[in-house]
Amino acid sequence: MRLAVARDRSGFTLLEMSVALVLLVLVLGNVYSLLRRSSKALGAQNSAFDVDTQAQRAMDHITMAIVGASESTLTNKSGGSPSVAPFSMDAMLYKESLGVQDGQMVSSPQQRIEFTNTTGEVTWIENPGTAEEKRVVWSKNIPPFLQEEIANSIDDNHNGIIDETGLSFVKDGKSITVYLTVKRTTPDGHIYEKKLQDTVTCRN
């Protein structure tokens, strides 16, 4: 008789199991919510890091090319003298000085760095417009205008230049100031934008 009573008291009641199940669901829900928030935060950090890295890499390509360019060979897309402040241009043609050979200065083939508004790309081109033309895309996700700038003939971002595009060059003597903005919108609607500015001087 005592064995039967002990057997009846073993195990959980239906109420105890229900309470335990509810508590388990609450704990799992909180863990899932925490993991989701952590994943979103990590994704946002990665997106911001990617934009920063892409912008800096593109700026490094551009400034290194300008440093090696011969100042006397710099022209705009139309082949004329580059604009000077406070005007800007979205493309620059140049030749690199390769040094002296047989008493003569030797230059590289013509090269061009340009921003294409329709594709949002910054492209380096060697021998533009010829059968030997070579193209390398240095950056994507370039907006039509620099950060805080719109097409309204006003200096919206207060940097002394009007309506500058996502990539802009401003020439002052041998010095070239490069303005660059990289902007990316994630599928969930977050916008990450990085603006860089650097001034370099042609070596020759």
Side-chain angles (χ1 to χ4, degrees), residues 64-122:
M64 287 298 294
I66 293 174
V67 166
S70 175
E71 192 268 338
S72 62
T73 67
L74 296 177
T75 63
N76 57 27
K77 276 192 294 190
S78 302
S81 176
S83 303
V84 296
F87 306 104
S88 65
M89 54 189 173
D90 60 5
M92 179 173 290
L93 285 82
Y94 65 96
K95 292 182 179 181
E96 290 183 83
S97 177
L98 303 179
V100 179
Q101 183 176 351
D102 298 329
Q104 300 290 328
M105 287 296 299
V106 180
S107 298
S108 71
Q110 190 173 66
Q111 301 172 52
R112 182 168 74 204
I113 304 169
E114 69 177 14
F115 165 58
T116 305
N117 192 354
T118 54
T119 60
E121 295 176 341
V122 171

Side-chain angles (χ1 to χ4, degrees), residues 6-105:
R7 193 180 298 113
D8 291 341
R9 290 179 179 176
S10 66
F12 295 100
T13 66
L14 181 60
L15 178 60
E16 290 172 333
M17 292 186 65
S18 298
V19 171
L21 182 60
V22 169
L23 291 176
L24 178 62
V25 169
L26 289 175
V27 170
L28 291 177
N30 288 332
V31 171
Y32 173 76
S33 179
L34 179 62
L35 290 175
R36 186 176 180 183
R37 287 197 300 268
S38 299
S39 178
K40 282 187 175 181
L42 183 60
Q45 290 179 349
N46 287 339
S47 295
F49 177 77
D50 288 345
V51 170
D52 290 351
T53 302
Q54 181 182 350
Q56 190 59 60
R57 185 180 296 121
M59 179 63 81
D60 290 344
H61 280 307
I62 294 166
T63 53
M64 287 298 294
I66 293 174
V67 166
S70 175
E71 192 268 338
S72 62
T73 67
L74 296 177
T75 63
N76 57 27
K77 276 192 294 190
S78 302
S81 176
S83 303
V84 296
F87 306 104
S88 65
M89 54 189 173
D90 60 5
M92 179 173 290
L93 285 82
Y94 65 96
K95 292 182 179 181
E96 290 183 83
S97 177
L98 303 179
V100 179
Q101 183 176 351
D102 298 329
Q104 300 290 328
M105 287 296 299

